[in-house]
Protein backbone atom coordinates (compact mmCIF):
# COMPACT_ATOMS: atom_id res chain seq x y z
CA UNK A 1 0.00 0.00 0.00
CA UNK A 2 2.82 2.39 0.85
CA UNK A 3 4.62 1.62 -2.42
CA UNK A 4 1.51 2.31 -4.49
CA UNK A 5 0.86 5.55 -2.67
CA UNK A 6 4.41 6.82 -3.12
CA UNK A 7 4.58 6.04 -6.83
CA UNK A 8 1.15 7.59 -7.44
CA UNK A 9 2.35 10.70 -5.61
CA UNK A 10 5.51 10.78 -7.72
CA UNK A 11 3.62 10.54 -11.00
CA UNK A 12 1.07 13.12 -9.86
CA UNK A 13 3.81 15.62 -9.11
CA UNK A 14 5.55 14.79 -12.39
CA UNK A 15 2.32 15.32 -14.36
CA UNK A 16 1.77 18.63 -12.61
CA UNK A 17 5.21 19.95 -13.55
CA UNK A 18 4.97 18.50 -17.06
CA UNK A 19 1.57 20.09 -17.75
CA UNK A 20 2.38 23.41 -16.13
CA UNK A 21 5.73 23.85 -17.78
CA UNK A 22 5.56 21.64 -20.87
CA UNK A 23 7.64 23.91 -23.04
CA UNK A 24 10.34 24.66 -20.52
CA UNK A 25 13.16 22.13 -20.42
CA UNK A 26 14.57 23.67 -17.23
CA UNK A 27 11.38 22.96 -15.32
CA UNK A 28 11.28 19.45 -16.79
CA UNK A 29 14.72 18.89 -15.30
CA UNK A 30 13.41 20.26 -11.99
CA UNK A 31 10.52 17.82 -12.05
CA UNK A 32 12.76 14.90 -12.94
CA UNK A 33 15.16 15.88 -10.18
CA UNK A 34 12.31 16.05 -7.68
CA UNK A 35 11.12 12.59 -8.74
CA UNK A 36 14.63 11.23 -8.28
CA UNK A 37 14.82 12.67 -4.75
CA UNK A 38 11.47 11.09 -3.84
CA UNK A 39 12.59 7.74 -5.20
CA UNK A 40 15.81 7.91 -3.21
CA UNK A 41 13.89 8.83 -0.04
CA UNK A 42 11.52 5.94 -0.57
CA UNK A 43 14.35 3.48 -1.17
CA UNK A 44 16.12 4.79 1.97
CA UNK A 45 13.04 4.40 4.21
CA UNK A 46 11.53 1.24 2.72
CA UNK A 47 12.69 -0.91 5.66
CA UNK A 48 11.51 1.52 8.33
CA UNK A 49 7.76 0.91 8.12
CA UNK A 50 7.92 -2.91 8.45
CA UNK A 51 10.36 -2.57 11.34
CA UNK A 52 8.17 -0.05 13.16
CA UNK A 53 5.09 -2.21 12.63
CA UNK A 54 6.89 -5.16 14.19
CA UNK A 55 8.12 -3.05 17.11
CA UNK A 56 4.65 -1.60 17.67
CA UNK A 57 3.14 -5.07 17.95
CA UNK A 58 5.88 -6.15 20.35
CA UNK A 59 5.49 -3.06 22.56
CA UNK A 60 1.71 -3.40 22.57
CA UNK A 61 2.02 -7.01 23.73
CA UNK A 62 4.51 -6.00 26.44
CA UNK A 63 2.26 -3.19 27.62
CA UNK A 64 -0.74 -5.53 27.81
CA UNK A 65 1.29 -8.04 29.81
CA UNK A 66 2.51 -5.27 32.11
CA UNK A 67 -1.04 -4.08 32.81
CA UNK A 68 -2.12 -7.67 33.39
CA UNK A 69 0.66 -8.29 35.90
CA UNK A 70 0.16 -5.02 37.77
CA UNK A 71 -3.56 -5.67 38.07
CA UNK A 72 -3.44 -9.34 39.03
CA UNK A 73 -0.40 -9.35 41.32
CA UNK A 74 -2.21 -6.97 43.69
CA UNK A 75 -4.04 -10.03 44.97
CA UNK A 76 -0.69 -11.57 45.92
CA UNK A 77 0.27 -8.46 47.87
CA UNK A 78 -3.09 -8.46 49.67
CA UNK A 79 -2.78 -12.15 50.57
CA UNK A 80 0.73 -11.62 51.95
CA UNK A 81 -0.45 -8.63 54.00
CA UNK A 82 -3.28 -10.73 55.41
CA UNK A 83 -0.76 -13.45 56.21
CA UNK A 84 1.43 -11.02 58.18
CA UNK A 85 -1.58 -9.63 60.06
CA UNK A 86 -2.64 -13.17 60.96
CA UNK A 87 0.86 -13.89 62.32
CA UNK A 88 0.62 -10.91 64.67
CA UNK A 89 -2.80 -12.12 65.80
CA UNK A 90 -1.36 -15.53 66.55
CA UNK A 91 -3.40 -17.18 63.79
CA UNK A 92 -0.62 -19.15 62.14
CA UNK A 93 -2.90 -21.56 60.30
CA UNK A 94 -4.65 -18.65 58.57
CA UNK A 95 -1.28 -17.01 57.88
CA UNK A 96 0.08 -20.14 56.19
CA UNK A 97 -3.10 -20.65 54.15
CA UNK A 98 -2.90 -17.10 52.81
CA UNK A 99 0.78 -17.59 52.01
CA UNK A 100 0.02 -20.82 50.18
CA UNK A 101 -2.55 -19.06 47.99
CA UNK A 102 -0.07 -16.27 47.27
CA UNK A 103 2.55 -18.86 46.28
CA UNK A 104 0.17 -20.49 43.78
CA UNK A 105 -0.62 -17.14 42.16
CA UNK A 106 3.06 -16.22 41.96
CA UNK A 107 3.88 -19.44 40.16
CA UNK A 108 1.01 -18.82 37.77
CA UNK A 109 2.03 -15.27 36.86
CA UNK A 110 5.74 -16.08 36.57
CA UNK A 111 4.90 -17.93 33.37
CA UNK A 112 3.62 -14.68 31.86
CA UNK A 113 6.41 -12.51 33.25
CA UNK A 114 9.29 -13.22 30.87
CA UNK A 115 12.31 -11.08 30.07
CA UNK A 116 11.97 -7.46 31.18
CA UNK A 117 8.49 -8.16 32.58
CA UNK A 118 10.12 -10.01 35.47
CA UNK A 119 10.72 -6.72 37.25
CA UNK A 120 6.98 -6.28 37.75
CA UNK A 121 7.07 -9.29 40.07
CA UNK A 122 9.63 -7.77 42.45
CA UNK A 123 7.03 -6.14 44.73
CA UNK A 124 4.73 -9.18 45.09
CA UNK A 125 7.75 -11.45 45.56
CA UNK A 126 9.13 -9.05 48.15
CA UNK A 127 5.86 -9.24 50.13
CA UNK A 128 5.89 -13.02 49.78
CA UNK A 129 9.43 -13.26 51.18
CA UNK A 130 8.53 -10.99 54.09
CA UNK A 131 5.51 -13.11 55.08
CA UNK A 132 7.29 -16.46 54.57
CA UNK A 133 10.30 -15.42 56.65
CA UNK A 134 8.17 -13.98 59.46
CA UNK A 135 6.20 -17.24 59.72
CA UNK A 136 9.43 -19.27 59.81
CA UNK A 137 10.88 -17.09 62.59
CA UNK A 138 7.73 -17.27 64.69
CA UNK A 139 7.68 -21.06 64.30
CA UNK A 140 11.38 -21.15 65.28
CA UNK A 141 12.39 -22.58 61.94
CA UNK A 142 15.25 -21.62 59.61
CA UNK A 143 14.59 -18.63 57.38
CA UNK A 144 14.06 -20.07 53.88
CA UNK A 145 16.58 -19.36 51.13
CA UNK A 146 15.86 -17.45 47.95
CA UNK A 147 16.12 -20.73 46.07
CA UNK A 148 13.49 -22.41 48.24
CA UNK A 149 11.12 -19.47 47.83
CA UNK A 150 11.92 -19.33 44.09
CA UNK A 151 12.22 -15.54 44.00
CA UNK A 152 14.58 -13.06 42.37
CA UNK A 153 17.64 -11.88 44.36
CA UNK A 154 16.30 -8.30 44.62
CA UNK A 155 12.98 -9.55 45.95
CA UNK A 156 14.70 -11.68 48.57
CA UNK A 157 16.87 -8.86 49.89
CA UNK A 158 14.01 -6.35 50.00
CA UNK A 159 11.70 -8.89 51.64
CA UNK A 160 14.21 -9.59 54.41
CA UNK A 161 14.66 -5.86 54.96
CA UNK A 162 10.90 -5.46 55.39
CA UNK A 163 10.82 -8.44 57.75
CA UNK A 164 13.06 -6.51 60.17
CA UNK A 165 10.22 -4.02 60.69
CA UNK A 166 7.74 -6.82 61.42
CA UNK A 167 10.15 -8.30 63.97
CA UNK A 168 10.15 -4.99 65.83
CA UNK A 169 6.41 -5.32 66.21
CA UNK A 170 6.80 -8.89 67.49
CA UNK A 171 9.34 -7.70 70.07
CA UNK A 172 6.97 -5.09 71.48
CA UNK A 173 4.02 -7.51 71.40
CA UNK A 174 6.02 -9.98 73.50
CA UNK A 175 7.18 -7.28 75.89
CA UNK A 176 3.60 -6.15 76.47
CA UNK A 177 2.64 -9.76 77.16
CA UNK A 178 5.49 -10.15 79.63
CA UNK A 179 7.50 -12.51 77.41
CA UNK A 180 10.90 -10.86 77.69
CA UNK A 181 12.78 -14.02 76.67
CA UNK A 182 10.81 -14.35 73.44
CA UNK A 183 11.20 -10.62 72.85
CA UNK A 184 14.97 -10.99 73.16
CA UNK A 185 14.91 -13.94 70.73
CA UNK A 186 13.09 -11.84 68.13
CA UNK A 187 15.46 -8.93 68.71
CA UNK A 188 18.56 -11.11 68.25
CA UNK A 189 17.22 -12.32 64.89
CA UNK A 190 16.23 -8.77 63.95
CA UNK A 191 19.69 -7.39 64.76
CA UNK A 192 21.55 -10.21 62.99
CA UNK A 193 19.39 -9.79 59.89
CA UNK A 194 20.19 -6.09 59.84
CA UNK A 195 23.93 -6.73 60.23
CA UNK A 196 23.95 -9.24 57.36
CA UNK A 197 21.90 -6.96 55.12
CA UNK A 198 23.82 -3.78 55.94
CA UNK A 199 26.36 -4.20 53.12
CA UNK A 200 23.60 -4.25 50.50
CA UNK A 201 23.38 -0.47 50.76
CA UNK A 202 26.30 -0.53 48.31
CA UNK A 203 24.00 -1.97 45.67
CA UNK A 204 21.27 0.64 45.96
CA UNK A 205 21.37 1.30 42.20
CA UNK A 206 20.67 -2.37 41.54
CA UNK A 207 18.41 -3.18 44.49
CA UNK A 208 16.28 -0.06 44.57
CA UNK A 209 15.39 1.39 47.98
CA UNK A 210 17.86 -0.93 49.71
CA UNK A 211 19.81 1.95 51.24
CA UNK A 212 16.69 3.73 52.50
CA UNK A 213 15.33 0.53 54.06
CA UNK A 214 18.70 -0.21 55.69
CA UNK A 215 18.82 3.29 57.15
CA UNK A 216 15.31 2.82 58.55
CA UNK A 217 16.25 -0.60 59.95
CA UNK A 218 19.25 0.85 61.76
CA UNK A 219 16.93 3.23 63.60
CA UNK A 220 14.50 0.39 64.36
CA UNK A 221 17.25 -1.82 65.78
CA UNK A 222 18.58 1.01 67.98
CA UNK A 223 15.05 1.80 69.25
CA UNK A 224 14.30 -1.84 70.08
CA UNK A 225 17.68 -2.34 71.77
CA UNK A 226 16.97 0.66 73.97
CA UNK A 227 13.46 -0.58 74.77
CA UNK A 228 14.70 -4.06 75.73
CA UNK A 229 17.44 -2.60 77.91
CA UNK A 230 14.89 -0.50 79.77
CA UNK A 231 12.54 -3.48 80.10
CA UNK A 232 15.32 -5.63 81.57
CA UNK A 233 16.13 -2.92 84.11
CA UNK A 234 12.46 -2.61 84.98
CA UNK A 235 12.18 -6.37 85.55
CA UNK A 236 15.30 -6.36 87.74
CA UNK A 237 13.91 -3.44 89.75
CA UNK A 238 10.56 -5.16 90.24
CA UNK A 239 12.25 -8.38 91.42
CA UNK A 240 14.46 -6.42 93.81
CA UNK A 241 11.45 -4.61 95.30
CA UNK A 242 9.60 -7.91 95.67
CA UNK A 243 12.53 -9.36 97.64
CA UNK A 244 12.64 -6.34 99.91
CA UNK A 245 8.93 -6.64 100.61
CA UNK A 246 9.41 -10.21 101.75
Amino acid sequence: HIMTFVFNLIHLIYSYFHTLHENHSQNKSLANGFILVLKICYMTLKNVKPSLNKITKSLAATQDSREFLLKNTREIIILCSKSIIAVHKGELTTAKNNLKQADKLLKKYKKKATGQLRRYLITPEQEFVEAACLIAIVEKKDIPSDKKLAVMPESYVLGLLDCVGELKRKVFDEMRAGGIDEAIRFFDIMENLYLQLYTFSLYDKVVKEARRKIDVNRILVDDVRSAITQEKRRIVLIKTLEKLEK
Side-chain angles (χ1 to χ4, degrees):
H1 296 298
I2 295 294
M3 186 181 293
T4 303
F5 172 77
V6 171
F7 279 112
N8 285 340
L9 177 62
I10 290 170
H11 287 295
L12 181 64
I13 294 171
Y14 178 81
S15 298
Y16 171 76
F17 277 104
H18 186 74
T19 303
L20 189 63
H21 305 287
E22 191 171 2
N23 298 320
H24 299 279
S25 58
Q26 184 177 357
N27 288 316
K28 282 184 181 180
S29 298
L30 180 62
N32 289 330
F34 188 76
I35 290 170
L36 179 61
V37 169
L38 283 177
K39 285 182 177 179
I40 292 172
C41 287
Y42 172 73
M43 295 302 292
T44 302
L45 300 174
K46 70 175 182 178
N47 295 322
V48 172
K49 186 65 176 179
S51 297
L52 291 180
N53 285 338
K54 183 179 178 181
I55 292 169
T56 298
K57 289 179 181 179
S58 175
L59 291 177
T62 301
Q63 182 168 285
D64 289 343
S65 296
R66 174 185 176 276
E67 295 300 323
F68 174 85
L69 289 171
L70 289 176
K71 179 181 178 182
N72 290 280
T73 54
R74 290 190 191 105
E75 188 176 354
I76 297 172
I77 296 171
I78 292 170
L79 284 168
C80 291
S81 296
K82 287 181 177 179
S83 180
I84 291 170
I85 291 170
V87 170
H88 289 300
K89 288 182 177 180
E91 301 170 355
L92 283 178
T93 300
T94 301
K96 288 192 279 189
N97 285 338
N98 284 327
L99 189 68
K100 190 175 180 180
Q101 290 181 52
D103 189 27
K104 285 182 180 179
L105 289 175
L106 260 179
K107 289 175 180 176
K108 175 183 175 181
Y109 297 136
K110 279 176 184 176
K111 296 176 183 178
K112 194 172 183 67
T114 56
Q116 293 184 353
L117 290 170
R118 285 283 286 163
R119 70 177 184 270
Y120 295 111
L121 287 181
I122 290 178
T123 299
E125 282 189 349
Q126 173 184 332
E127 297 295 324
F128 177 73
V129 170
E130 180 184 4
C133 292
L134 182 62
I135 290 173
I137 292 167
V138 170
E139 292 188 321
K140 298 182 179 180
K141 295 179 180 178
D142 290 336
I143 294 174
S145 65
D146 60 331
K147 184 178 180 180
K148 183 175 179 58
L149 295 176
V151 296
M152 290 178 284
E154 301 96 316
S155 306
Y156 189 70
V157 171
L158 293 171
L160 287 176
L161 285 169
D162 286 343
C163 189
V164 171
E166 296 303 327
L167 287 173
K168 175 193 174 183
R169 183 174 171 181
K170 288 299 296 179
V171 169
F172 283 109
D173 285 346
E174 292 296 332
M175 285 172 60
R176 279 193 293 270
I180 186 64
D181 291 337
E182 190 68 355
I184 291 173
R185 182 179 81 86
F186 284 128
F187 173 69
D188 287 342
I189 295 170
M190 176 184 180
E191 184 176 36
N192 284 318
L193 263 180
Y194 163 72
L195 291 174
Q196 291 196 42
L197 290 165
Y198 179 77
T199 55
F200 283 89
S201 60
L202 297 172
Y203 310 109
D204 188 60
K205 300 298 182 182
V206 180
V207 185
K208 291 188 177 180
E209 293 198 359
R211 180 172 295 173
R212 181 187 66 80
K213 288 178 182 289
I214 288 169
D215 289 342
V216 170
N217 284 349
R218 183 181 66 252
I219 296 170
L220 295 180
V221 169
D222 288 342
D223 287 347
V224 173
R225 182 187 293 109
S226 177
I228 285 182
T229 301
Q230 291 178 16
E231 182 63 13
K232 282 182 175 179
R233 288 174 180 171
R234 189 183 73 84
I235 291 171
V236 170
L237 178 60
I238 289 173
K239 288 181 178 179
T240 302
L241 290 173
E242 287 175 346
K243 286 180 181 180
L244 289 174
E245 287 177 358
K246 293 179 181 178

